[in-house]
Structure formats: structure tokens, C-alpha cells
């Protein structure tokens, strides 16, 4: 789940263990692997490495999986439908292996998670869906702005739901074996969702790791918490209409400790900050409530929960944080970093934007600039570098 041009913060509430945004059957009988057909269906626009690729080991694994799935109540018809155009996705393994991400401060995280664009889009989304959101608040007790904020962080209000086939993604990861038992459980759950008729295999898409829909539920969480709020007989978290997805998120929080009428927390300063949560030394402090811990059940990260809470406050019309963050390890403030990105871009070194978050693209731009002036290409920002870019 990408929430930045430069960094993916794919936090997971569901025991994935991924870092900060996420995601053909050979069997007994006549079921045929998409890998063997040579022309499996794939969604247009997917990178080549996220399209089914022939892999005999995967085919053998799927053949063995077939009987295990049937033992867990999956019908042959469901298996045929689920795996008809599925296959091994090498890009899923690549992404799973390449999860060493840049260490982000809370300041960097909030710069992305509560950006001006995310706030403005959140306010617009809230207005568009206010009737639904207020109905969910009344039923489940979860603040409408909190539901909206989770939607914003998980899929940018539905704009980034993911288009990787879930059966392919989860079966690839289950076959790979690094977390095989976990992903086989997700695959079984995905097939049961298909068998229940909530969605078809071609429309069951999500992240490379199998997180689905507007608020990025993995299959087992979908089974446990998804609801049919529209009353059409399907718990549809994938469609353009976000109603069931938003309702499912509200239900998740309500069943995981959310207290009606209680805030998530607030920023505190001065004497009130004593004993408060301060994720970044020298930065703002927060007094949090049990609802903060409920948000962490959705994603076990202080930064994520603060991001949700603060974004919700901003969507509801609240102000930016009052507390300031200290300079970074290179002696640069956020304003310095924004200015550095602007100056690099002006000189033709693309940083991917000027948000003050110096991710891989900004570091590559710094390295390219350093090389252009005969300096070692370290990619490390500094006050000296900033002054030299005038």
C-alpha cells in the first residue's frame, strides 16, 4: 500500500510483519494449471513480474494443495474457478524478499500520512459519503472521521486498492514457504470467500501480499469481520462503492475494543506531556486512550495509530500539530529538506516531489548531483549541500 511516491508503508494489522506502507491448478483429475496453458489471463497494467510465470515447483505444490483444500471444505468447482487463470508470480517473492526499508521518523511518516493532499481528499471523501459514515458511527460507535482516515491510509480513499489476483499472490507465497503456513491459511480463506459468492476470482484482487479492498483486509480478517452493510447479500469490499469496506472497518474496531464517544488521544505540551507517548525524541507528545490501542489492533504501530488519529482530526477540521520536530541526523529540518528537494529539482535532478521526506528517489537525485560536481556520490544530505545548490 503505497502512500508515498518514494516509500511504501505497508503496515499490517493482520500478522503479515511487513514494513511501512501492500500483496493454474494442477491437481487430481482434469484441473489444469494456468502455467501450462501458456496464456493465463492477467489484469492489464500489471508489471511483467506480477503476471503468471511457468514454474514446475509451484505446479507440484498446487497439485498437493488440492487435496488439503478439499479436506478443509473447498469444493472442486471452487478450486477450478479460483485457479483457472492463477499462477506463480515471481514479483511477489521479489517484493517479499526486498522489505528492508528506510527507517522513518514519525515526522517523515506524518508528512506522508497526513499530507495536505491526503487531508483535502479525506475531507472531500467524508462529504461524499457522510450519510454512510454517520450511519456506521451510529451503529458501531466508531467515529466517522476515524473510519475515513483508515480508508485514506490504507488505499488513498479507494484509489490504490491493488490489482494483483489474490489467489495467485497467496498461493505463490504459500508455495515459497518462508511463511508458508500463514499464507496457505490466507489462500484457504480466499477460496472460501469465493465459495461463499461474495466475489468472483477475476475480481478478487489486492496487494501483492493479498490485502484486499478499500481498507485492505487479508482473507482471514475478511472472514472474521467483513459485513454486508448494503444488504445485497454480498460483503463487497472491492467495488467502487466503499460502503461494505467502511462498515467492515468499523466492525473490526468495534469488536477490538473501540469505546463509543472516546477520542483516540491528543497532542499535549508542557507539564501535560509528562508520561505521554513521544515516539520521536524531541518531537510532539501524545496522551492516548484505549481507542488508540484499538487502532493498533488494526495495525500494531504507534506511528500508524497516531497517523490515523491525527488525519481524522484534520479531516474533521482540526489544526496541524503544534509541536515541532528536531533537526534530523544530518542537521536538516523539514523545511530544509523541502528546500533541498526543490533546488535539486530546479537543477534537473528529480526527487519525485518536495515533501521533506528524503526517500530513495531523493537520495538518488543527491548522488547524481554530487557526481555532476565531482564529489563522491554518497547520497547523503547536508547543510553544505543545501547551500551549494543556491
Amino acid at each position: 500500500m503505497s502512500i508515498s511516491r518514494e516509500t511504501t508503508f505497508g503496515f499490517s494489522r493482520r500478522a503479515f510483519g511487513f514494513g511501512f506502507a501492500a500483496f493454474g491448478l494442477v491437481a487430481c483429475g482434469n484441473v489444469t494449471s494456468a502455467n501450462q496453458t501458456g496464456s493465463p489471463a492477467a489484469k492489464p497494467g500489471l508489471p511483467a513480474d506480477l503476471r503468471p510465470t511457468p514454474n514446475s515447483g509451484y505446479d507440484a505444490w498446487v497439485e498437493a494443495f488440492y487435496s488439503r483444500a478439499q479436506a478443509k471444505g473447498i469444493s472442486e468447482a471452487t478450486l477450478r474457478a479460483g485457479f483457472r487463470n492463477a499462477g506463480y508470480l515471481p514479483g511477489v517473492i521479489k517484493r517479499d524478499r526486498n522489505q528492508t526499508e528506510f527507517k522513518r521518523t514519525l515526522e517523515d511518516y506524518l508528512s506522508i500520512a497526513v499530507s495536505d493532499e491526503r487531508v483535502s481528499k479525506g475531507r472531500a471523501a467524508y462529504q461524499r459519503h457522510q450519510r454512510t459514515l454517520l450511519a456506521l458511527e451510529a451503529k458501531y460507535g466508531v467515529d466517522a472521521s476515524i473510519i475515513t482516515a483508515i480508508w485514506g491510509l490504507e488505499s488513498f480513499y479507494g484509489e490504490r486498492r491493488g490489482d494483483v489476483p489474490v489467489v495467485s499472490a497467496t498461493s505463490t507465497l504459500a508455495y515459497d514457504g518462508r511463511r508458508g503456513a500463514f499464507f496457505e491459511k490466507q489462500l484457504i480463506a480466499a477460496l472460501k470467500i469465493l465459495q461463499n459468492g461474495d466475489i468472483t476470482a477475476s475480481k478478487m484482487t489486492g496487494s501483492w501480499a493479498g490485502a484486499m479492498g478499500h481498507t485492505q483486509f487479508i482473507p482471514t480478517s475478511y472472514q472474521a469481520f467483513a459485513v454486508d452493510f448494503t444488504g445485497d447479500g454480498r460483503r463487497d469490499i472491492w467495488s467502487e462503492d466503499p460502503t461494505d469496506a467502511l462498515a467492515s472497518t468499523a466492525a473490526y474496531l468495534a469488536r477490538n475494543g473501540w469505546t463509543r464517544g472516546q477520542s483516540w488521544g491528543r497532542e499535549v505540551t508542557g507539564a501535560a506531556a509528562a508520561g505521554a507517548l513521544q515516539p520521536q525524541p524531541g518531537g510532539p507528545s501524545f496522551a492516548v486512550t484505549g481507542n488508540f490501542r484499538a487502532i493498533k489492533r488494526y495495525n500494531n504501530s504507534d506511528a500508524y495509530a497516531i497517523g490515523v488519529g491525527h488525519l481524522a482530526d484534520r479531516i474533521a477540521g482540526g489544526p496541524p500539530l503544534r509541536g515541532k520536530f528536531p533537526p534530523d541526523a544530518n542537521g536538516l529540518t523539514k523545511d530544509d529538506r523541502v528546500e533541498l528537494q526543490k533546488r535539486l529539482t530546479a537543477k534537473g535532478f528529480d526527487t519525485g516531489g518536495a515533501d521533506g521526506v528524503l526517500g530513495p528517489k531523493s537520495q538518488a537525485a543527491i548522488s547524481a548531483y554530487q557526481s555532476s560536481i565531482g564529489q563522491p556520490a554518497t547520497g547523503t544530505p547536508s547543510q553544505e549541500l543545501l547551500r551549494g545548490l543556491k
Side-chain angles (χ1 to χ4, degrees):
M1 299 168 286
S2 173
I3 67 171
S4 168
R5 285 182 293 269
E6 295 201 22
T7 306
T8 298
F9 295 83
F11 288 113
S12 174
R13 72 210 64 98
R14 314 144 186 103
F16 273 125
F18 300 141
F20 178 101
F23 242 97
L25 181 61
V26 175
C28 304
N30 298 318
V31 184
T32 303
S33 169
N35 285 332
Q36 295 177 334
T37 69
S39 58
K43 290 180 70 67
L46 281 173
D49 67 353
L50 290 176
R51 294 169 179 266
T53 300
N55 184 301
S56 59
Y58 170 86
D59 290 344
W61 182 90
V62 174
E63 184 172 2
F65 169 76
Y66 185 79
S67 59
R68 296 197 299 274
Q70 286 188 312
K72 292 184 179 295
I74 308 298
S75 70
E76 182 169 338
T78 297
L79 286 162
R80 287 178 181 275
F83 280 94
R84 181 168 295 120
N85 292 312
Y88 177 78
L89 306 181
V92 165
I93 304 305
K94 177 182 176 182
R95 287 158 179 77
D96 188 49
R97 292 286 187 267
N98 189 29
Q99 292 191 80
T100 301
E101 299 183 352
F102 287 79
K103 296 294 184 181
R104 292 299 182 202
T105 63
L106 178 65
E107 182 180 29
D108 278 355
Y109 181 76
L110 294 180
S111 292
I112 299 168
V114 197
S115 65
D116 290 343
E117 182 183 18
R118 203 176 300 271
V119 171
S120 63
K121 286 193 174 228
R123 289 172 178 169
Y126 184 98
Q127 289 301 316
R128 286 196 308 274
H129 299 279
Q130 184 174 23
R131 182 175 179 181
T132 295
L133 289 163
L134 292 179
L136 295 176
E137 183 176 297
K139 179 176 177 64
Y140 295 104
V142 180
D143 293 353
S145 58
I146 291 286
I147 301 169
T148 309
I150 289 176
W151 186 22
L153 286 186
E154 294 292 344
S155 71
F156 212 73
Y157 311 106
E159 292 182 18
R160 305 171 188 172
R161 282 167 273 170
D163 53 8
V164 180
V166 170
V167 170
S168 290
T170 53
S171 61
T172 295
L173 288 162
Y175 157 68
D176 177 61
R178 190 164 76 88
R179 284 168 291 176
F182 173 78
F183 281 108
E184 182 164 328
K185 185 177 181 181
Q186 299 310 315
L187 175 58
I188 290 289
L191 291 167
K192 287 184 176 179
I193 293 167
L194 295 178
Q195 189 159 282
N196 191 57
D198 285 299
I199 193 72
T200 62
S202 63
K203 293 182 179 179
M204 182 188 273
T205 58
S207 75
W208 63 263
M212 309 179 297
H214 286 266
T215 51
Q216 295 290 281
F217 272 43
I218 60 169
T220 51
S221 289
Y222 175 97
Q223 283 189 303
F225 301 105
V227 297
D228 171 23
F229 198 74
T230 62
D232 66 354
R234 297 185 302 118
R235 299 174 294 170
D236 187 358
I237 65 173
W238 299 270
S239 71
E240 290 301 313
D241 180 0
T243 299
D244 283 355
L246 300 179
S248 299
T249 296
Y252 187 106
L253 292 174
R255 290 175 58 185
N256 280 278
W258 186 272
T259 300
R260 184 187 295 266
Q262 185 181 79
S263 73
W264 69 273
R266 61 188 176 89
E267 183 186 9
V268 291
T269 59
L277 178 65
Q278 188 183 47
Q280 183 175 341
S285 296
F286 304 88
V288 300
T289 70
N291 283 347
F292 178 84
R293 291 184 285 277
I295 297 170
K296 288 185 65 176
R297 292 294 299 273
Y298 203 85
N299 183 323
N300 190 24
S301 160
D302 286 344
Y304 179 88
I306 290 170
V308 167
H310 184 45
L311 179 59
D313 291 345
R314 296 296 312 280
I315 289 171
L321 295 177
R322 293 166 292 168
K324 301 298 182 183
F325 289 92
D328 64 20
N330 298 302
L332 300 175
T333 65
K334 180 179 178 179
D335 288 343
D336 292 333
R337 296 191 296 273
V338 168
E339 186 62 26
L340 177 63
Q341 289 171 317
K342 289 179 177 178
R343 293 181 186 181
L344 284 165
T345 300
K347 288 187 176 291
F349 301 94
D350 182 19
T351 63
D355 56 6
V357 181
L358 302 183
K361 199 163 187 178
S362 289
Q363 293 182 3
I366 292 170
S367 292
Y369 170 72
Q370 289 170 326
S371 293
S372 75
I373 60 174
Q375 292 184 357
T378 65
T380 302
S382 66
Q383 287 286 356
E384 181 181 5
L385 181 72
L386 178 59
R387 290 191 295 270
L389 279 164
K390 287 184 178 180

